[in-house]
Amino acid sequence: MDTNADRYFLPYQEAWINDETPLKIAEKSRRVGFTYASSYRMFQKCLRRGRGFTQWVSSRDQMTAQELIRDYVRMWCELGNVVARGLDGTDVQVVDQDKGITAFVCTFRNGARIVSLSSTPEAFAGKGGDVFLDEADLHRDSGSLIDMAYPCIMWGGQLEIVSAYRVDGSKDTPFAKMVAAAKKDNPQHASLHRVTIHDAIAQGLVEKINAKTGRRQTREEFLKQTRAGARTRQAWESQFECKVQDAGGKLLATAKYAACELPAEEIAAIEAANPNAPRYAGYDVARHRHASAWHEYIRLGVTLYLVHRETFHDTPFDVQEKFLRAKMSRSERRIVRLAMDSTGLGMQMAENMAKAFPGRVDQVNLESHRRHELCMLLKDKVDNARAIFPADEGLREDMTAPTVVAATNGNIRVNVPEFVNAEGETSHADEFMASVLGVSAADAGGESFDPIVPVRHIRQDKRTL
């Protein structure tokens, strides 16, 4: 294993430091040392170029702007025995008096300067020199910031743009568009660097962290711990895996889905107040890698309420079928209709259930044209607030994972991505598919009058029911 333990900078940091391209862009994981490497590059440029050279830096907030000089540039000066003014981050100078723009300034003895500002696009008007935009996608007005910074390099300067993606962003943010253009025809002749958390680990990040902290984590342990700390899939992908969160491409828009959420206690109260409401269910089948999922709904008028959800992880098929038979056999809280995934692994179980409960079990092939139709049926329910779900972060993450993409033939299709959830389990939007099937069962019709049970979510992990 090449840990790069004998290198001060990791290979991706060296590549960034040594890149002299006029326009440099880095889409990167958080906390992998790009600001650290960039601050060293700034320090070196100031030593080489001397009087007349200004390195402009724009950070997302004032505290980060001050920390760049106080924590990073100061360290390089101390290591290099270089004298400079303002290293404690207290030399605050006025950049534009009319607009009230100030900056933290570090001035070297040879006259070169580093001017560190918070996110202020107007500060670059009429300025020249090299520009570094840190976490550009996270700035309040990143488009104006980039637009105002770019002309600064017209007379031989360099623009460096570094960022992870916004958690709530999309492919249409200015930074995401620049990255996408650089990956295609690259009209701006940008040098594009891409470093995910996986890339950084492969090049020695964990060993560097262990050396600094005294820990003895393996690469696998570090990755697992880091993933567990990301609250949602979107946070993990955007902050660590360089994946744009295309909010515009989601089948179920997060805002619309959130408008369909109620506290579980409220749904339980609604359920208890309507003991004769008909019940419908959907069941998505899996065995090892993904989870099987059960969604049970009551219908009140045109609105469905999710009252019971259950997931099965690495559970034998006979145990899953026993659960389904118990649900369908009960005389109270009777399920009117169950729609089951009959694709691949689910075919046998769906056939068994259809024979055991004739007229009450729909076998749905989720690889047929029906998949798209049923996904659109669920979308219509959510868009019109006619499906209500318990407020739960894990459920929301799963339900809003699928995206809408254009197929090569011009048709629109629903893409259901595989991802690792916060518990470290591989998911294929399993609860989303259970919901699709549950809505399908309700759409097929039928009536029932049954007593009610509270909302609950029970996990079944490798155990007999």
Side-chain angles (χ1 to χ4, degrees), residues 23-43:
L23 175 59
K24 294 163 54 179
I25 303 172
E27 56 169 351
K28 53 88 178 180
S29 166
R30 294 283 300 278
R31 307 299 295 163
V32 295
F34 261 87
T35 303
Y36 185 80
S38 297
S39 67
Y40 176 76
R41 178 171 170 77
M42 298 173 200
F43 167 75

Side-chain angles (χ1 to χ4, degrees), residues 339-353:
M340 282 190 66
D341 167 22
S342 67
T343 311
L345 293 175
M347 184 181 297
Q348 174 94 39
M349 197 186 308
E351 285 184 359
N352 292 344
M353 293 297 296

Side-chain angles (χ1 to χ4, degrees), residues 243-397:
K243 293 181 180 178
V244 179
Q245 297 306 294
D246 188 4
K250 287 182 178 293
L251 177 70
L252 305 182
T254 303
K256 289 194 179 235
Y257 178 84
C260 295
E261 292 181 310
L262 285 177
E265 302 77 23
E266 288 189 30
I267 294 180
I270 292 170
E271 185 184 19
N274 295 274
N276 295 328
R279 291 173 175 268
Y280 308 91
Y283 192 70
D284 184 43
V285 182
R287 178 61 179 89
H288 289 295
R289 186 170 175 78
H290 305 137
S292 297
W294 166 274
H295 271 206
E296 182 177 333
Y297 295 84
I298 62 170
R299 185 174 66 195
L300 299 175
V302 295
T303 304
L304 298 175
Y305 293 80
L306 176 57
V307 294
H308 181 192
R309 48 187 282 253
E310 196 154 345
T311 52
F312 299 82
H313 299 261
D314 201 16
T315 304
F317 288 129
D318 62 333
V319 177
Q320 295 185 48
E321 188 169 328
K322 181 180 178 181
F323 165 82
L324 295 176
R325 286 176 178 269
K327 283 284 189 181
M328 297 297 289
S329 298
R330 62 191 182 186
S331 57
E332 296 183 343
R333 306 186 302 278
R334 185 170 182 265
I335 303 296
V336 179
R337 184 176 294 273
L338 166 66
M340 282 190 66
D341 167 22
S342 67
T343 311
L345 293 175
M347 184 181 297
Q348 174 94 39
M349 197 186 308
E351 285 184 359
N352 292 344
M353 293 297 296
K355 289 177 183 177
F357 304 96
R360 293 174 57 204
V361 177
D362 298 331
Q363 302 175 67
V364 182
N365 184 344
L366 292 175
E367 291 183 353
S368 69
H369 68 282
R370 288 286 288 155
R371 169 183 166 130
H372 180 80
E373 294 174 2
L374 297 179
C375 286
M376 290 301 115
L377 181 62
L378 173 60
K379 175 177 171 57
D380 180 70
K381 286 284 187 184
V382 170
D383 286 350
N384 292 286
R386 292 180 176 175
I388 306 300
F389 306 91
D392 178 271
E393 288 184 1
L395 178 60
R396 185 186 313 122
E397 178 181 24

Side-chain angles (χ1 to χ4, degrees), residues 57-250:
V57 181
S58 183
S59 302
R60 62 186 180 276
D61 55 51
Q62 191 172 27
M63 180 178 293
T64 307
Q66 185 183 41
E67 286 176 350
L68 176 87
I69 290 177
R70 188 188 63 205
D71 296 347
Y72 292 117
V73 178
R74 179 176 183 173
M75 177 189 66
W76 298 125
C77 286
E78 290 175 349
L79 289 173
N81 196 26
V82 173
V83 176
R85 185 175 69 250
L87 293 175
D88 57 357
T90 58
D91 186 4
V92 181
Q93 298 183 18
V94 176
V95 176
D96 190 318
Q97 187 169 4
D98 293 338
K99 294 183 172 62
I101 300 172
T102 59
F104 301 99
V105 181
C106 170
T107 306
F108 292 77
R109 292 183 67 178
N110 63 7
R113 300 184 305 160
I114 298 175
V115 181
S116 185
L117 319 105
S118 59
S119 185
T120 312
E122 296 85 354
F124 295 116
K127 306 298 190 299
D130 287 12
V131 180
F132 176 75
L133 305 182
D134 194 18
E135 297 295 1
D137 206 37
L138 308 184
H139 285 247
R140 185 174 57 255
D141 188 0
S142 61
S144 294
L145 182 69
I146 294 170
D147 291 344
M148 294 295 289
Y150 186 71
C152 295
I153 68 171
M154 185 178 297
W155 289 82
Q158 184 180 55
L159 174 59
E160 300 174 286
I161 306 175
V162 172
S163 193
Y165 289 110
R166 296 183 63 92
V167 176
D168 58 349
S170 80
K171 65 180 181 181
D172 294 321
T173 66
F175 177 73
K177 284 184 174 181
M178 288 190 76
V179 171
K183 290 178 178 178
K184 293 180 180 177
D185 54 355
N186 199 13
Q188 294 181 306
H189 303 288
S191 174
L192 179 62
H193 298 243
R194 185 176 193 270
V195 180
T196 68
I197 189 67
H198 307 287
D199 299 326
I201 290 173
Q203 294 185 40
L205 177 67
V206 176
E207 289 75 24
K208 288 291 186 184
I209 293 175
N210 284 343
K212 182 176 178 60
T213 62
R215 298 173 187 162
R216 293 185 176 181
Q217 279 189 309
T218 66
R219 292 180 174 187
E220 293 73 20
E221 289 169 344
F222 175 83
L223 182 63
K224 184 176 181 180
Q225 179 181 331
T226 304
R227 175 61 186 90
R231 189 174 60 84
T232 65
R233 176 182 58 83
Q234 288 88 347
W236 172 249
E237 291 182 348
S238 62
Q239 301 302 285
F240 294 99
E241 293 192 317
C242 300
K243 293 181 180 178
V244 179
Q245 297 306 294
D246 188 4
K250 287 182 178 293

